[in-house]
């Protein structure tokens, strides 16, 4: 089953649309729901501890986390 989980109006990480905390919470919520794969399609810098912690938590729970990188 594929479950869309939109956490922002835009795919560009911008304070007007989404905070790192919201994205981290969405990752943690996905883990709690028992989802097996998380695909993140967003742009922006990803160097915040809450976000890294959420991804680490997902990986510890055997969740596959996929995110785009290096779109320059």
């Amino acid at each position: 089953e594929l479950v869309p989980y939109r956490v922002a109006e835009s795919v560009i990480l911008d304070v007007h649309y989404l905070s790192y905390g919201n994205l981290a919470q969405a990752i943690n919520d996905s883990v709690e729901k028992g989802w097996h794969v998380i695909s993140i399609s967003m742009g922006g810098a990803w160097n915040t501890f809450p976000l890294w912690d959420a991804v680490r938590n997902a990986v510890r729970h055997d969740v596959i986390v996929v995110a785009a990188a290096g779109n320059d």
Side-chain angles (χ1 to χ4, degrees), residues 1-2 7 12 14 16 18 20 22-25 27 30 32-34 41-42 47 52 59 63 65 67:
E1 177 180 7
L2 182 62
V7 296
I12 300 171
D14 184 320
H16 297 102
L18 175 72
Y20 291 110
N22 290 347
L23 180 55
Q25 185 62 51
I27 293 169
S30 299
E32 288 178 20
K33 291 174 189 273
S41 299
M42 303 197 73
N47 56 352
W52 280 108
V59 171
V63 175
V65 180

Side-chain angles (χ1 to χ4, degrees), residues 4-49:
Y5 190 152
R6 180 174 283 279
V7 296
E9 294 179 26
S10 172
V11 296
I12 300 171
L13 197 54
D14 184 320
V15 295
H16 297 102
Y17 298 107
L18 175 72
S19 72
Y20 291 110
N22 290 347
L23 180 55
Q25 185 62 51
I27 293 169
N28 288 325
D29 289 348
S30 299
V31 171
E32 288 178 20
K33 291 174 189 273
W35 295 345
H36 301 285
V37 178
I38 299 171
S39 176
I40 303 170
S41 299
M42 303 197 73
W46 296 81
N47 56 352
T48 67
F49 288 113

Side-chain angles (χ1 to χ4, degrees), residues 44 68-72:
N71 291 333
D72 293 334

